Amino acid sequence: MALDYLIIGAGPAGLQLAGLLERDGERDYLVLEGAGRPGAFFERFPRHRTLISINKPRTGSDDPELNLRLDWNSLLSDDPELRFTRYTQRYFPDADVMLRYLADFARGLRIEYDTRVTRVSRDGGLFTVEAGERSWQARRLIVATGVSRAYEPEIPGFELAERYAEMSVDPQDYLDQRVLIIGKGNSAFETAENLMETTTVIHVAGPSSVRLAWRTHYVGHLRAVNNNFLDTYQLKSANAILDGTVKSIERDGDGFRVRFGFSRVDEVVKELHYDRVLACTGFRFDDSIFDDSCRPELTIRDRFPAQTESWESVNVPGLHFAGTIGQVRDFKKSTGGFIHGFRYAVRSLHRILELTYAATPWPAEKLDAAPKALADAVIARVNRSSALWQQFGFLADVVTVSESDARYHEEVPVDWFTAHGLSTPDHDYRHAFAVTLEYGPDHDRVDPFDITVSRISQDTPGQAHDAAYLHPVVRYHRDGEVTATHHLAENLENRWDRPDVHVAPLVAFLARCLGTGRESRSLT
């Protein structure tokens, strides 16, 4: 008998979806995991064993929803004991703590361990998944395997480089050596920082610019916890960052000769010599288990499966993706590639699956349709929601208003709502308001520490649309189009509830939209 859902991978995303299915108890599901424990990725990674996902048990609040804003490791659960903040006080936890946490979360879920999938096929609307001599059939397949293969750029001689997954992490193994690190992400700089005390020279090289997370607000860019290396470069302490492309790597006696093309000096190519070359070039999705009947189309340099607004393969119906490989939907814009983002994306995926395949409406709370009642509901949510906070600009709370009532839907992907809407047989709405938290325009081009750059006053609602910092945005949808937008003024403590600054302007905006529904302009 075919399963409703078969999940490949018992990492954080697979466990999150399994936990939601187990809680509901209405669908047949199973998780297949190749390793002997959940979250096996964290047995090896990060190589230096310190997570850069923050963990803050001391928040000054007893609101569990609000506290998730500062807890980047917990999965969503009704059990208060399954909060990662109960496992350690460390702000940047050890990866072994994550292994222990995921093992506890997995208890009671339907998981087959030591079951490595070797082949996936599709015939007649059913997927067949094989693992050795065993096989399963499922109507829907959810792949939550993460990016498990090393990404290898097309560089002649790249096979000579030591891979991030296999290289030594003992600094003494690099004593008095010149080291080239290929890559400019956190793994590259984490590695460089680990080796600074024992090497003679370290060069970190890659074609793209170093982007700092505190400026871009994308947590996958270089984090401050890993950027001490930048000081050693800019303060003339032997190390350097090379901007350009590695043209080739060749053996040179006991070391390596590397031809490097510099992008900022008219493509000058130089030969550089190193004792070691380390490849910290990231990872990619492994599609080798799929046969030709259901091989998913890939995107972004073939690193991820291409997906629709429902996290579904663009070319294989019924094949969905969860977790890190779902980040193509908000790639390098929000937090879909990380636990604190995809735990909410997976919950949205679960609701989409239930709506699509079981006709279960998106959960919604009925509200009075008066502008003040709607504004109160919006204000209450933006001041405590962790989902909107973490998945900024990507997830929205959607308020729909019909002739008879209003309904409040939480955590709806913006692009999914735009494509599908939220009408039901008993609620054919005329008005819709999508509520998000967003940074301002060009926020990633502004140095937040530059005091010569003027900032928008927190007390001036009429200027809120120019605010650079995170703030609520409400968009009015009419006949499938956004016809008006309202920005709530930013606030240092992220409290958007001042009667004259936040509430009254929002009530007025809602009233104008509900009163006419015809104006096509930006209302701030």
Side-chain angles (χ1 to χ4, degrees):
M1 183 174 178
L3 295 160
D4 293 319
Y5 298 109
L6 186 59
I7 303 167
I8 302 178
L15 296 179
Q16 183 65 83
L17 182 56
L20 295 168
L21 292 168
E22 184 69 29
R23 180 200 64 188
D24 289 357
E26 297 180 0
R27 311 290 171 226
D28 291 327
Y29 80 91
L30 181 65
V31 182
L32 303 181
E33 168 56 45
R37 65 188 301 177
F41 174 88
F42 293 99
E43 289 183 317
R44 297 185 68 195
F45 303 106
R47 293 298 313 283
H48 301 91
R49 308 311 294 150
T50 300
L51 302 177
I52 57 174
S53 46
I54 68 172
N55 174 67
K56 190 169 176 59
R58 312 294 179 190
T59 66
S61 170
D62 59 2
D63 182 343
E65 175 67 19
L66 193 64
N67 286 341
L68 281 170
R69 292 182 173 185
L70 301 177
D71 172 0
W72 290 12
N73 300 285
S74 289
L75 298 179
L76 304 176
S77 171
D78 296 330
D79 184 353
E81 295 300 316
L82 288 176
R83 286 295 172 92
F84 191 90
T85 49
R86 293 178 178 267
Y87 285 68
T88 179
Q89 298 290 312
R90 293 285 302 276
Y91 194 77
F92 293 114
D94 189 278
D96 289 336
V97 181
M98 177 60 77
L99 285 167
R100 182 158 54 92
Y101 171 76
L102 294 177
D104 288 347
F105 192 94
R107 290 194 177 96
L109 303 180
R110 301 174 219 172
I111 305 173
E112 292 273 358
Y113 294 108
D114 296 311
T115 306
R116 189 161 300 281
V117 172
T118 54
R119 185 171 182 267
V120 178
S121 58
R122 185 175 184 269
D123 181 41
L126 286 180
F127 291 93
T128 298
V129 177
E130 301 174 22
E133 300 298 318
R134 306 173 68 191
S135 67
W136 298 262
Q137 287 193 319
R139 298 177 184 87
R140 263 74 61 183
L141 181 65
I142 297 91
V143 179
T145 53
V147 282
S148 55
R149 292 182 63 181
Y151 174 70
E152 299 186 354
E154 295 183 0
I155 298 172
F158 186 77
E159 69 278 1
L160 300 175
E162 299 174 60
R163 304 303 193 268
Y164 175 71
E166 286 85 29
M167 68 186 188
S168 170
V169 294
D170 183 353
Q172 293 302 312
D173 290 342
Y174 300 82
L175 196 63
D176 294 326
Q177 293 184 348
R178 292 174 55 87
V179 176
L180 172 66
I181 300 174
I182 304 175
K184 286 184 177 176
N186 280 291
S187 62
F189 283 95
E190 161 202 285
T191 299
E193 179 156 347
N194 183 53
L195 303 181
M196 284 193 301
E197 293 181 352
T198 58
T199 53
T200 58
V201 170
I202 300 174
H203 289 168
V204 174
S208 58
S209 300
V210 174
R211 305 201 71 191
L212 302 172
W214 52 258
R215 181 165 182 162
T216 65
H217 304 111
Y218 172 64
V219 300
H221 284 147
L222 181 58
R223 301 286 298 284
V225 69
N226 285 329
N227 73 12
N228 285 335
F229 183 85
L230 300 183
D231 271 8
T232 71
Y233 172 38
Q234 289 299 306
L235 299 181
K236 305 179 293 298
S237 299
N239 301 318
I241 294 174
L242 309 184
D243 299 320
T245 56
V246 175
K247 301 293 187 180
S248 64
I249 304 169
E250 299 176 3
R251 287 280 185 189
D252 183 25
D254 292 334
F256 301 92
R257 180 171 58 251
V258 176
R259 294 179 63 251
F260 191 85
F262 289 85
S263 60
R264 294 201 286 180
V265 284
D266 299 324
E267 291 294 335
V268 169
V269 177
K270 294 187 66 174
E271 281 193 0
L272 302 170
H273 296 265
Y274 302 96
D275 298 295
R276 307 278 281 273
V277 178
L278 309 180
C280 299
T281 51
F283 298 88
R284 53 159 294 192
F285 173 64
D286 184 359
D287 65 343
S288 63
I289 60 174
F290 297 93
D291 75 6
D292 291 339
S293 68
C294 61
R295 189 178 306 280
E297 182 180 315
L298 302 180
T299 187
I300 309 178
R301 291 179 291 171
D302 290 342
R303 291 181 63 189
F304 300 95
Q307 297 160 53
T308 71
E309 69 279 354
S310 301
W311 288 281
E312 186 175 22
S313 170
V314 297
N315 65 306
V316 184
L319 174 60
H320 295 263
F321 304 94
T324 295
I325 51 177
Q327 67 179 283
V328 294
R329 300 275 311 286
D330 61 344
F331 189 63
K332 294 190 177 182
K333 295 178 181 178
S334 193
T335 58
F338 311 90
I339 291 175
H340 63 297
F342 69 60
R343 61 191 178 197
Y344 302 106
V346 171
R347 182 156 67 185
S348 295
L349 170 62
H350 175 242
R351 290 169 176 168
I352 290 170
L353 295 174
E354 287 296 291
L355 192 154
T356 304
Y357 301 116
T360 303
W362 202 282
E365 177 185 357
K366 290 186 177 182
L367 299 175
D368 185 327
K372 181 60 167 64
L374 301 182
D376 287 345
V378 170
I379 293 294
R381 274 285 292 172
V382 297
N383 279 294
R384 66 185 297 264
S385 168
S386 177
L388 301 187
W389 176 273
Q390 306 290 19
Q391 287 268 262
F392 51 88
F394 180 74
L395 292 183
D397 283 1
V398 179
V399 183
T400 55
V401 184
S402 68
E403 294 289 348
S404 58
D405 67 0
R407 299 191 182 180
Y408 200 105
H409 311 76
E410 297 181 359
E411 303 169 21
V412 185
V414 172
D415 55 357
W416 185 89
F417 167 67
T418 301
H420 300 275
L422 288 163
S423 290
T424 60
D426 65 338
H427 184 69
D428 187 16
Y429 60 87
R430 298 178 57 220
H431 312 273
F433 299 91
V435 182
T436 55
L437 292 179
E438 299 179 24
Y439 290 96
D442 298 327
H443 67 91
D444 57 345
R445 299 182 182 181
V446 177
D447 182 349
F449 304 118
D450 184 354
I451 64 172
T452 66
V453 177
S454 61
R455 296 198 58 169
I456 302 303
S457 170
Q458 297 184 59
D459 301 319
T460 311
Q463 298 178 349
H465 58 285
D466 286 328
Y469 185 60
L470 195 72
H471 62 280
V473 181
V474 182
R475 290 182 174 84
Y476 175 52
H477 291 248
R478 177 76 175 184
D479 298 327
E481 295 185 358
V482 176
T483 61
T485 302
H486 176 74
H487 294 253
L488 278 70
E490 68 175 49
N491 182 268
L492 174 65
E493 296 182 316
N494 307 306
R495 294 296 307 175
W496 301 286
D497 56 4
R498 293 182 59 183
D500 55 337
V501 175
H502 302 113
V503 181
L506 177 58
V507 172
F509 170 78
L510 297 173
R512 288 196 294 271
C513 293
L514 293 172
T516 66
R518 292 190 296 271
E519 296 183 65
S520 180
R521 55 196 172 96
S522 177
L523 300 171
T524 59

